[in-house]
Amino acid sequence: MATAGKSKKKPTFKPVWFSISFIALVLILIVPTSDNLPVMAKCALAILAFAVILWVTEAVSYPVSATMIVVLMILLLGFSPVQNLTESLGNPKIGKDVLSGSDLFGTANALKLAFSGFSTSAAALVAAALFLATAMQVTQLHKRLALWVLSLVGNKTKRIVIGAILVSIILAFFVPSATARAGAVVPILLGMVAAFGAAKQSKLAALLIITAVQAVSIWNIGIKTAAAQNIVAVNFINGQLGHDVSWGEWFLYAAPWSIIMSIVLYFVMLKVIPPEQTEIEGGKELVQQQLNALGPITGKEWRLIIISIALLILWSTEKILHPIDSASITLLALAVMLTPKIGVMTWKEAESKIPWGTIIVFGVGIALGNVLLQTKAAQWLSDQTFGLMGLQHMPIIATIALISLFNILIHLGFASATSLASALIPVFISLTMTLNLGDMSIGFVLIQQFVISFGFLLPVSSPQGMLAYGTETFTVKDFLKAGTLITVIGYILVIILSMTYWQWLGLL
């Protein structure tokens, strides 16, 4: 796969933005605030501002920023007086003495909070899911699946576009990593374009690559295990609203949106980026050659197929045929995959391919969200931002429309939907309390999580978008033209489903 030139590589350290993040941190800490904002909540908001600036600007890498956030939580919260903590923090103790409002929280207690994200089932699910995605890469099963689907669609350009969408849909069920899914299908499509003499900057190349990556993003919404940001939301919903959204429930709520948007994507892409040719002569044969080059399905691939199908069945029947949660099921699959003789990979093979930084960022993001919720910082932020807009006097549909629009616009600054979910979902949960949504709270937060995955406008809005952009097959303008239409239609569909389907299901 072609990659972007050195001139397009992002610097790993941006001193100006790094300095600005610390300035924002200090300013929030020293600015006087009202008595209804406890010191610990103020510290949490300062850390959030610091984190958001680092995440948006990528002044340092995400794992590095996560390490800094942990240190700030330990120091700032540890040396803060205990005031108005929620009951979820319990009664932290130093020695035998229960802390009172005038006592410092203590770095030992703050340390527990800073690492609270790593003790959740969500962190276990994401870690296990990354191992599953790695198993797909080690065995090249995801590539075989992609080639198999493309071998069935034929030579016509329109059918290849359908094939690219279908590949993204099928892989979403079995590969819980958007980047891994894009990494499987994009090189194959590039190979098809190159083999038949089409330029890398041709409309055909842009059409196929953008279609594939937008389909990947669309199905981040349709399937709970397709993206880490979904697990962030489920974790907060379970912890604060008391409902663990199962794989099947998520699919029931979200899949119809993704199915409709997959059809929309097909027509939008062919309209916005019409290809120069209606047929790629020998395209099917080329794909078949690549498929043949992989050789017969190996024993490891067969075992991984069995494991993946079993996983899918167990995920989809959670709370219906058995009580085992998604995280435990996935960890069980991981144990089988790593077992000598019957597994599909060794620890050494997995170790070198696992993006350990993703697990660190994920755990710290959840911990930061926990701090925002437990110190009441998220509630205060919700009251000060959304509470003053008069949302409590609006119908629920108008509220969803307004907050979803805000959600889409703020995503323009975030390259990671996981980080965006970590920052916003606690605020949205607090907003449901401000608005007294009651039984509609879970539905409201879930819908906003669906919108958090709207990374359709710019390549920098998602890792899979940046992977595709690195192929140099399209411009940002090409991506934006298609992405704008997809975003507008997707937004309208969210409103329509909020007025109809989701109400019929009792979600709202």
Side-chain angles (χ1 to χ4, degrees):
M1 181 182 72
T3 55
K6 288 185 179 181
S7 61
K8 292 189 177 182
K9 285 186 178 179
K10 290 186 178 181
T12 55
F13 177 59
K14 301 175 183 176
V16 173
W17 285 110
F18 185 71
S19 301
I20 290 173
S21 66
F22 270 104
I23 291 171
L25 175 82
V26 173
L27 284 177
I28 293 174
L29 289 174
I30 63 175
V31 169
T33 52
S34 58
D35 294 335
N36 65 347
L37 182 67
V39 174
M40 288 186 72
K42 186 177 179 180
C43 290
L45 292 174
I47 296 169
L48 176 65
F50 172 84
V52 167
I53 293 172
L54 287 187
W55 288 338
V56 168
T57 63
E58 295 181 84
V60 293
S61 68
Y62 281 94
V64 171
S65 68
T67 305
M68 293 177 177
I69 292 165
V70 165
V71 172
L72 287 174
M73 283 194 281
I74 293 170
L75 294 178
L76 295 182
L77 298 179
F79 287 97
S80 295
V82 179
Q83 298 171 298
N84 303 328
L85 294 181
T86 64
E87 293 179 2
S88 57
L89 275 174
N91 286 321
K93 297 182 179 181
I94 297 179
K96 296 181 180 179
D97 300 322
V98 177
L99 291 176
S100 66
S102 59
D103 289 325
L104 296 183
F105 187 57
T107 54
N109 291 314
L111 181 67
K112 294 176 184 176
L113 267 183
F115 282 92
S116 62
F118 294 96
S119 61
T120 62
S121 61
L125 177 55
V126 167
L130 289 174
F131 274 90
L132 178 59
T134 297
M136 288 282 180
Q137 294 172 38
V138 169
T139 61
Q140 295 198 75
L141 180 58
H142 63 338
K143 183 178 180 181
R144 188 183 295 276
L145 277 171
L147 286 167
W148 176 72
V149 173
L150 290 172
S151 71
L152 300 177
V153 297
N155 295 332
K156 292 189 180 297
T157 306
K158 289 183 178 180
R159 290 179 65 85
I160 295 173
V161 171
I162 293 173
I165 296 172
L166 286 176
V167 167
S168 298
I169 294 173
I170 292 171
L171 290 180
F173 285 91
F174 301 103
V175 185
S177 165
T179 308
R181 298 197 299 275
V185 67
V186 165
I188 297 170
L189 295 175
L190 278 178
M192 294 179 69
V193 171
F196 296 97
K200 196 166 63 170
Q201 288 77 26
S202 64
K203 286 188 176 182
L204 174 64
L207 169 66
L208 295 180
I209 301 302
I210 295 176
T211 298
V213 76
Q214 295 288 31
V216 166
S217 296
I218 284 172
W219 280 90
N220 276 351
I221 296 167
I223 297 175
K224 171 184 170 181
T225 49
Q229 62 264 24
N230 297 342
I231 313 304
V232 170
V234 169
N235 180 78
F236 287 132
I237 290 171
N238 188 22
Q240 299 298 317
L241 302 179
H243 181 73
D244 186 13
V245 182
S246 70
W247 193 98
E249 286 175 318
W250 186 290
F251 190 78
L252 180 65
Y253 300 144
W257 184 94
S258 293
I259 291 169
I260 295 170
M261 286 305 299
S262 296
I263 298 169
V264 168
L265 175 65
Y266 171 76
F267 290 103
V268 165
M269 293 307 304
L270 288 173
K271 179 69 175 177
V272 174
I273 309 179
E276 302 92 339
Q277 54 207 100
T278 59
E279 188 172 343
I280 300 179
E281 289 297 333
K284 187 173 182 179
E285 289 75 13
L286 172 69
V287 171
Q288 191 61 50
Q289 286 175 16
Q290 293 186 47
L291 195 54
N292 292 339
L294 289 177
I297 301 179
T298 64
K300 287 184 177 181
E301 287 179 274
W302 277 119
R303 292 196 291 274
L304 185 54
I305 289 170
I306 293 170
I307 292 169
S308 299
I309 292 174
L311 255 181
L312 186 59
I313 293 171
L314 290 171
W315 279 337
S316 59
T317 56
E318 178 188 347
K319 294 185 181 179
I320 300 173
L321 297 181
H322 63 84
I324 310 173
D325 63 279
S326 299
S328 299
I329 293 167
T330 314
L331 284 169
L332 175 62
L334 170 58
V336 175
M337 287 188 293
L338 289 172
T339 301
K341 304 298 182 183
I342 65 171
V344 300
M345 62 181 174
T346 65
W347 176 263
K348 192 170 184 179
E349 287 176 317
E351 187 179 30
S352 60
K353 295 181 182 294
I354 291 290
W356 298 103
T358 299
I359 299 173
I360 294 171
V361 173
F362 184 85
V364 172
I366 289 181
L368 179 57
N370 287 339
V371 168
L372 291 170
L373 286 164
Q374 294 177 12
T375 61
K376 294 291 188 181
Q379 186 66 58
W380 185 89
L381 189 59
S382 172
D383 292 342
Q384 297 303 310
T385 51
F386 302 122
L388 300 178
M389 295 169 63
L391 295 178
Q392 64 269 30
H393 304 300
M394 293 184 182
I396 183 64
I397 302 301
T399 302
I400 289 172
L402 190 62
I403 301 302
S404 295
L405 185 60
F406 161 82
N407 210 343
I408 290 169
L409 293 175
I410 202 170
H411 194 164
L412 291 172
F414 279 79
S416 167
T418 303
S419 298
L420 184 58
S422 300
L424 288 186
I425 291 298
V427 179
F428 292 147
I429 289 174
S430 296
L431 178 59
T432 66
M433 300 172 188
T434 301
L435 302 179
N436 296 313
L437 292 184
D439 293 339
M440 293 186 290
S441 297
I442 294 171
F444 176 82
V445 176
L446 261 183
I447 291 168
Q448 292 312 312
Q449 173 54 34
F450 299 159
V451 179
I452 278 175
S453 292
F454 270 41
F456 307 122
L457 285 171
L458 296 171
V460 295
S461 295
S462 67
Q464 63 270 23
M466 284 306 297
L467 184 150
Y469 186 59
T471 64
E472 299 179 330
T473 54
F474 59 87
T475 64
V476 172
K477 184 179 178 182
D478 293 329
F479 199 93
L480 184 61
K481 280 168 59 181
T484 300
L485 267 176
I486 295 166
T487 300
V488 170
I489 296 171
Y491 172 73
I492 293 172
L493 185 56
V494 164
I495 306 305
I496 293 173
L497 292 179
S498 296
M499 296 171 65
T500 56
Y501 178 69
W502 289 328
Q503 288 195 18
W504 300 338
L505 292 178
L507 195 59
L508 292 175

